[in-house]
Amino acid sequence: MSWKNDLPAVRGKLLLDEALAPFTWFRVGGPADVVFLPADEQDLSDFLKALDPTVPVQAIGVGSNLLVRDGGVEGVIIRLGKGFNGVEALGDNRIKAGSAVPDAILARKAAEAGIAGLEFYAGIPGTVGGAVIMNAGCYGSETVNVIKSARVMNRAGQVSEISGESFGYTYRHSALMGADLIVLDAIYEGTADQPEAIKARMAEITSRRETTQPIREKTGGSTFKNPPGHSSWKLVDEAGWRGKLFGGAMFSPLHSNFLINTGEATAADLEGLGEAVRADVLAKTGVQLDWEIKRIGRLA
């Protein structure tokens, strides 16, 4: 791959043939041709402008909802970090957060500023960038309910601002998916409330999550979207897959919509189990389960 020998100069870090498993919660997957850790927004823009436009580019956050296949990923993986993790209360019950800010940190900062409505983010293990892209939500609330706008960068390194009304949000989906856009930051708007009251509601969400989800396992969160009129965990459970090993993969005994790496799973184990469950549930119930976890890369 001659393009790897002619990469643009950066102020951040460029890692060649870098293993992606440590970048994901599942801890599986092959290497990326290149991992780029940009220093800041300008560094990212300069890199994209100078990079061969035929080279594929994908941005990731903390990898909490990501399954990297064993054959690795072609092109450049962009991991946003310190240069994209600012949080600022703007007044008028609005708050701005960088794309690398963990959702739970955003919820806490909003609470401290007396901004209610973002409490549900305390129950989501990802970052703002992923939440904006996939309309992340839980416990009856979604990103669409609180977002006002986001700044994004395209493959050519150009920045634009998009209003929340333009995201085309549906359940765990937006018009930004597949649009080759990288979220830089987002502005949210909630309602006024006392910080202690907001924090109490967040504590309830955190407690509920800790007692019902395998948060200390190597997992990717909710594996399947809930089909209309159904709960994915019930479908998986009733089909007999709760706690059943498939190589090193298993659907959690605690929550049967959480796919976990029991220790030595490959990405093929995890994806293979997911596909086996999808086929079995469809055959038994006629209901199609769709992946919520994002799967990228080449098969081994």
Side-chain angles (χ1 to χ4, degrees):
M1 298 180 192
S2 59
W3 63 268
K4 287 203 293 184
N5 300 320
D6 192 30
L7 290 167
V10 300
R11 288 179 288 109
K13 292 182 180 180
L14 287 170
L15 310 173
L16 303 186
D17 301 313
E18 184 73 9
L20 288 175
F23 290 90
T24 74
W25 284 31
F26 276 125
R27 295 293 188 265
V28 299
D33 291 339
V34 175
V35 172
F36 176 36
L37 311 174
D40 50 35
E41 184 178 316
Q42 190 61 56
D43 195 28
L44 175 59
S45 177
D46 292 344
F47 175 82
L48 289 175
K49 287 175 180 176
L51 183 67
D52 182 339
T54 65
V55 176
V57 170
Q58 296 185 72
I60 65 172
V62 292
S64 60
N65 193 46
L66 182 68
L67 178 59
V68 177
R69 294 183 175 112
D70 298 310
V73 180
E74 179 184 2
V76 178
I77 288 290
I78 295 172
R79 170 70 178 269
L80 302 182
K82 289 184 179 179
F84 302 83
N85 66 354
V87 183
E88 178 186 5
L90 304 176
D92 296 324
N93 299 315
R94 293 191 176 194
I95 190 166
K96 181 179 180 180
S99 60
V101 174
D103 297 324
I105 297 296
L106 172 57
R108 179 165 61 82
K109 294 290 187 180
E112 291 170 356
I115 302 171
L118 281 75
E119 294 92 326
F120 71 96
Y121 269 179
I124 299 175
T127 55
V128 165
V132 170
I133 291 286
M134 69 173 292
N135 188 22
C138 64
Y139 304 131
S141 296
E142 295 179 306
T143 299
V144 64
N145 304 135
V146 288
I147 195 165
K148 296 303 294 181
S149 64
R151 289 191 315 123
V152 299
M153 185 179 291
N154 66 16
R155 177 63 179 77
Q158 300 165 327
V159 177
S160 59
E161 186 164 359
I162 304 175
S163 68
E165 293 84 1
S166 303
F167 290 167
Y169 277 140
T170 55
Y171 175 61
R172 303 295 178 266
H173 186 271
S174 78
L176 302 179
M177 287 183 169
D180 256 358
L181 297 173
I182 298 170
V183 175
L184 302 173
D185 51 47
I187 294 176
Y188 296 86
E189 182 177 358
T191 56
D193 199 357
Q194 294 300 314
E196 292 310 313
I198 301 170
K199 290 177 182 178
R201 292 192 292 272
M202 286 171 53
E204 290 178 10
I205 289 171
T206 301
S207 176
R208 180 177 173 185
R209 179 170 173 254
E210 288 177 347
T211 56
T212 61
Q213 298 177 7
I215 60 175
R216 290 173 179 82
E217 302 282 358
K218 297 174 184 176
T219 184
S222 294
T223 303
F224 303 120
K225 302 175 186 178
N226 286 324
H230 297 274
S231 294
S232 291
W233 75 266
K234 286 185 178 180
L235 293 167
V236 175
D237 196 23
E238 290 169 0
W241 289 93
R242 180 192 291 263
K244 185 177 179 181
L245 278 170
F246 186 99
M250 178 174 67
F251 275 93
S252 170
L254 182 61
H255 191 309
S256 52
N257 193 33
F258 276 62
L259 188 58
I260 60 174
N261 173 3
T262 63
E264 300 300 329
T266 62
D269 288 342
L270 292 159
E271 187 169 15
L273 174 55
E275 288 299 325
V277 170
R278 292 181 72 232
D280 194 34
V281 168
L282 181 61
K284 289 175 176 175
T285 69
V287 178
Q288 178 75 62
L289 289 173
D290 291 326
W291 286 89
E292 184 168 323
I293 289 171
K294 183 177 181 181
R295 296 156 297 140
I296 65 172
R298 301 167 287 221
L299 299 174

